[in-house]
Amino acid sequence: MHIMEGFLPWQWCLVWWIIAIPFIVMGILELRKLLKQDREYLPLLGVCGAFIFILSALKLPSVTGSCSHPTGTGLSVMCFKPYITAVIGFVVLLFQALLLAHGGLSTLGANMVSMAIGGPIVGYLVYKLLKNTSVNIFVTVFCVAAVADIVTYVITSFELAVAYPAAVGGIAASFAAFFAIFAITQVPLSILEGLVLALVFKYILELKPELLEKLGVFSKEQVEKALGTSDGAPEKV
């Protein structure tokens, strides 16, 4: 998904930076407010950042100028919502560009819009849609992670398509070509990411259920049901 340095025309680099900056500013403000309330959230913030960094560094060759990999943003967006996730994603993408030559500084705005902003926002909408239904917590987590992952690649395909429209068919044809190539690797990766995140979430739920309750990720009743403390039988992933 990371679009490499120098691949996009400067005009499009500027456009994606302009779109990304307000999310970063809002995220920093929300993050400061959250940490003033309770610094106990810091370890979970660190876990979310590490999860995004490690998974999104596992790149597979894909479209010229980009790559395929899990994104890891589902956990962060459920715990800390889209704005703070945008900040975490920004830090991860900046370090990857500087230390791993994964992505780039000029394309950082575009990479933020797809992985740190657009994908997480749609994943968050899925979470809000399923949160207060009878859907199993772990199925909800799976759906959030998988959708945030695949939407990231839909947006990346769009970013590449508007920068390089096809001679025949324009942006639509170019988008279809880019996403078709991404889909070969990304659909199975998004399913795998959903499964991994559901398992990680189960571990966090068992370790720090009170933290997830304080953040309002799930209610106390939902947490107890998932942990099996309400009926005595642990719920399976």
Side-chain angles (χ1 to χ4, degrees):
M1 154 260 141
H2 293 47
I3 300 174
M4 67 182 182
E5 182 71 27
F7 189 75
L8 292 179
W10 70 267
Q11 297 92 334
W12 281 109
C13 292
L14 184 62
V15 166
W16 299 119
W17 264 108
I18 290 172
I19 293 173
I21 286 173
F23 287 89
I24 303 302
V25 173
M26 288 298 298
I28 291 172
L29 294 176
E30 283 204 2
L31 187 57
R32 290 182 61 186
K33 184 179 175 183
L34 181 76
L35 293 180
K36 277 184 180 178
Q37 291 173 355
D38 196 338
R39 296 185 70 80
E40 193 183 1
Y41 298 132
L42 272 173
L44 185 56
L45 278 166
V47 169
C48 290
F51 199 65
I52 295 173
F53 186 91
I54 292 170
L55 287 187
S56 62
L58 303 173
K59 57 183 179 180
L60 300 171
S62 185
V63 187
T64 299
S66 188
C67 58
S68 284
H69 55 76
T71 64
T73 56
L75 177 64
S76 176
V77 81
M78 283 189 301
C79 294
F80 299 109
K81 301 183 175 59
Y83 284 130
I84 292 179
T85 299
V87 176
I88 297 173
F90 165 68
V91 173
V92 167
L93 288 166
L94 179 62
F95 272 88
Q96 289 178 338
L98 293 175
L99 303 178
L100 305 178
H102 191 18
L105 295 179
S106 68
T107 54
L108 185 56
N111 291 331
M112 280 192 287
V113 169
S114 59
M115 192 182 94
I117 299 171
I121 285 177
V122 179
Y124 185 69
L125 294 176
V126 172
Y127 160 72
K128 295 291 284 183
L129 184 68
L130 298 178
K131 178 184 174 183
N132 294 318
T133 67
S134 59
V135 174
N136 180 293
I137 278 181
F138 302 113
V139 173
T140 298
V141 173
F142 168 84
C143 292
V144 171
V147 169
D149 179 307
I150 201 70
V151 170
T152 294
Y153 287 82
V154 171
I155 297 172
T156 301
S157 300
F158 177 75
E159 292 172 339
L160 294 170
V162 294
Y164 298 102
V168 178
I171 293 173
S174 185
F175 172 81
F178 279 122
F179 188 71
I181 299 172
F182 271 133
I184 295 171
T185 52
Q186 206 54 41
V187 171
L189 274 178
S190 65
I191 295 171
L192 182 62
E193 180 174 343
L195 293 172
V196 170
L197 183 56
L199 290 172
V200 170
F201 193 83
K202 186 173 187 290
Y203 176 74
I204 295 173
L205 203 63
E206 291 173 347
L207 196 67
K208 284 285 184 182
E210 70 282 358
L211 206 56
L212 297 176
E213 291 171 21
K214 282 174 65 177
L215 285 167
V217 181
F218 289 107
S219 68
K220 184 178 180 180
E221 292 73 22
Q222 288 173 306
V223 169
E224 287 178 346
K225 182 180 178 184
L227 290 175
T229 53
S230 61
D231 58 12
E235 193 168 314
K236 301 296 183 184
V237 177

